[in-house]
Amino acid sequence: MTIAEAPVTPETLPVPEQAAEGATRQQGLAMICYSGDLEKTWAAMILASTAGAMGMPTKVFVTFWGLQTFVKPEKRITGENWMQKMMSMMSRPGIAHRKLSKMNFLGMGPWMMRKLAKQYNVSSPAELMEMAQLMGVEFIPCQMTMDMFGIKREDLIDGMGDPVGAATYLGFVADGASPIFI
Amino acid sequence: MADQQVDARGLNCPMPIVRTAQAVKALASGQTVEVLATDPGSVKDFAAWSKTTGNEMIEQTSDGGVFRFVLKKK
């Protein structure tokens, strides 16, 4: 029987390259952490830490309101000019000061969320972020957001990657990493 | 007897997986880890973790709401 006459069965079909064993694992995840809302930050940190635990190479591009989350906890005011400083006064940066997008009620909502999380043994976003970093997840700040908000490298938590732009992020996707936008 | 124990009882998603991954990191290939968890989602989560990481699930039992997994490092 020649190759042309061979019956077409799932076994004889060529295996697409993407379906190769471990392919997704090798190419990993390229997350965008865009939101600074508590609930979305939480989801992003759960996924980032779990991806680290799954051994998936993971990069998280941190941009716009997401960058506020990565300002050092002790930093109260960021920015160089009055408008940038005012922005950080209106919404305190740092992972411990995220607000809910709905039902914030002057901090009552987040307080209840944290209380419930403790009661049900759900780790806080800060703990999950630390775990993710320990397991090799790389958080990469957006240069443009840093410029616009006047956030300096030393304002950001330790262990972050070099500030880059959108092209670097898209390069990760072009190389096969799966994009996730939160 | 497993080479390493992880007591994830009471912990919620994703901590049982995260703690196990950290414990497995410290093991040599072929060594085992025994995990105890109470999160009902962990049954499927550990199956997925085992499949993705290649660390084989060699035992899986449950007793009174406590799930026990024994995994062997790849």
Side-chain angles (χ1 to χ4, degrees):
Chain A
M1 184 162 53
T2 63
I3 291 173
E5 289 164 338
V8 178
T9 66
E11 288 76 38
T12 60
L13 287 170
V15 179
E17 239 171 86
Q18 272 183 329
E21 180 68 28
T24 329
R25 186 155 76 247
Q26 288 315 312
Q27 288 153 354
L29 291 184
M31 290 177 60
I32 295 185
C33 182
Y34 170 88
S35 171
D37 294 335
L38 174 61
E39 71 274 22
K40 295 188 192 79
T41 305
W42 218 319
M45 295 310 146
I46 288 173
L47 277 181
S49 58
T50 308
M54 303 275 280
M56 300 167 103
T58 303
K59 291 184 188 336
V60 185
F61 183 62
V62 176
T63 188
F64 283 91
W65 309 111
L67 191 69
Q68 310 291 333
T69 305
F70 289 80
V71 170
K72 282 181 182 144
E74 65 270 22
K75 203 87 197 159
R76 179 63 188 92
I77 293 161
T78 54
E80 272 148 9
N81 60 45
W82 71 267
M83 230 191 282
Q84 291 169 335
K85 284 179 181 155
M86 191 121 168
M87 293 277 278
S88 69
M89 300 241 320
M90 290 191 291
S91 174
R92 185 170 177 170
I95 196 159
H97 305 284
R98 301 298 84 207
K99 292 173 183 166
L100 287 172
S101 65
K102 287 176 186 140
M103 303 190 293
N104 195 59
F105 292 113
L106 299 168
M108 186 77 169
W111 179 81
M112 288 198 283
M113 279 282 274
R114 292 200 171 90
K115 197 101 182 149
L116 286 169
K118 218 167 226 162
Q119 192 179 336
Y120 291 95
N121 263 316
V122 176
S123 295
S124 70
E127 287 170 303
L128 293 165
M129 186 202 277
E130 201 191 320
M131 291 288 164
Q133 278 192 313
L134 277 174
M135 286 183 299
V137 173
E138 195 184 8
F139 294 101
I140 302 165
C142 166
Q143 180 70 65
M144 179 276 287
T145 308
M146 288 173 69
D147 294 346
M148 194 168 75
F149 287 98
I151 292 171
K152 296 185 284 292
R153 193 67 201 271
E154 59 265 32
D155 295 334
L156 297 170
I157 62 160
D158 295 331
M160 292 188 83
D162 290 328
V164 294
T168 305
Y169 169 78
L170 289 173
F172 302 148
V173 178
D175 287 341
S178 306
I180 295 182
F181 183 98
I182 300 182
Chain B
M1 191 68 190
D3 298 294
Q4 178 80 259
Q5 322 280 328
V6 172
D7 187 356
R9 283 176 293 182
L11 298 182
N12 222 317
C13 171
M15 291 320 277
I17 290 283
V18 169
R19 291 239 190 279
T20 303
Q22 285 181 316
V24 165
K25 225 172 164 180
L27 294 179
S29 179
Q31 285 190 305
T32 56
V33 62
E34 180 188 37
V35 185
L36 296 178
T38 47
D39 169 22
S42 68
V43 177
K44 285 206 168 172
D45 283 353
F46 273 93
W49 183 79
S50 161
K51 191 174 163 226
T52 307
T53 57
N55 301 306
E56 195 191 344
M57 173 96 69
I58 52 176
E59 251 183 272
Q60 189 181 339
T61 53
S62 78
D63 180 22
V66 177
F67 304 98
R68 183 175 155 272
F69 311 98
V70 181
L71 298 131
K72 192 164 123 190
K73 182 165 178 172
K74 189 170 72 167

